[in-house]
Amino acid sequence: MSESSDSQQRVPQPVSLAQPEAIKRCPRCGLGLNAGRCPVCPVEITQPQPLKMGWRLFDVLWGTQQVFALPELRPWAFSPVAVSGLVLGFSVWWGFGWFSNWFTTWLQQALAPGVLSSLLQAFVAAFSVLGALVIFGFLFLPVLGLVCMPFFDPLAAKLEARLLGEKRDAVPIKVSLLLREIALLLVLKLILILPALLLLGIPVLGPVLLTAVMAMVLSLDFLDIIWMRKGYSFNDKLKFLKQNFTPWLLYLAPLLVLSWIPLLQLLILPGAAAGAVRFYLNAKK
């Protein structure tokens, strides 16, 4: 067989997310099988060679080490961190600057100049800075999550190619199906988040439960980058989580711990996105 015909067989074929039946997938990379064979992996599906790369408990830590160690991953890992910091920092600075100017103007009209008005202005200025820092810390991860997603698709693709030893193309997906899958996953996230918000008022346990749910939601974003590249439907995604529920919880554990440490929060998203690649490749497909 010629080299050109062999390369044509290795191009991933489009997968219809609307198929009702489950798609049989390569146990090594997760692509849909074509006549019982993976269109890319050079191994027999009857004798798969699963990747063995440690426990899922260490996937996030492993991913963090990868984004620091591999030069081709660093721009995709740390650029969104810088962009998020600039966008959120400017927004918070502008918002509190506007509030401070409005309050100063109101105070000058309501009170005569004197010691009391000066003390109130100093008090508001000090607490404005503190409030800005608190809001920045609270909103940084959600904003970072939104900014990061476009950067993490090439990061995941480059890391997967490195682990599997060959370059891989994403499965073509129609825009209409893509929007539907995003909407369905968004509904699942809301189902997870809304009850957790109601529990936030419970001392000690409430914040822990909310953090655990946020870790789950973040992990769905990371995995969805890979799922969409492999042509997963929403039902396929649910089946994947069901088949790999215990490893998924182990993968989430470092996210839950690191999210409580402010400085290490900067490493959560790129490290977890890279770790999600290793988690997926070792998971049941």
Side-chain angles (χ1 to χ4, degrees), residues 20-87:
E21 65 276 3
I23 299 174
K24 294 183 179 180
R25 298 184 175 278
C26 172
R28 182 170 181 262
C29 73
L31 282 176
L33 299 182
N34 184 7
R37 291 182 59 89
C38 178
V40 176
C41 288
V43 296
E44 292 290 343
I45 300 305
T46 55
Q47 295 179 347
Q49 300 177 5
L51 301 174
K52 296 181 180 179
M53 298 179 291
W55 289 12
R56 308 288 66 79
L57 185 62
F58 304 114
D59 283 344
V60 173
L61 300 178
W62 175 88
T64 302
Q65 188 272 333
Q66 295 300 301
V67 298
F68 274 102
L70 301 178
E72 65 268 26
L73 299 184
R74 291 173 196 160
W76 304 107
F78 300 116
S79 295
V81 175
V83 172
S84 300
L86 290 174
V87 171

Side-chain angles (χ1 to χ4, degrees), residues 99-100 103-109 111-128:
F99 172 77
S100 180
F103 183 82
T104 301
T105 302
W106 175 82
L107 194 62
Q108 291 174 351
Q109 295 174 353
L111 295 177
V115 176
L116 179 59
S117 62
S118 298
L119 288 176
L120 286 175
Q121 290 182 24
F123 179 80
V124 170
F127 274 84
S128 293

Side-chain angles (χ1 to χ4, degrees), residues 87-103:
V87 171
L88 185 57
F90 175 79
S91 300
V92 172
W93 172 80
W94 181 85
F96 275 92
W98 174 86
F99 172 77
S100 180
N101 291 334
W102 172 83
F103 183 82

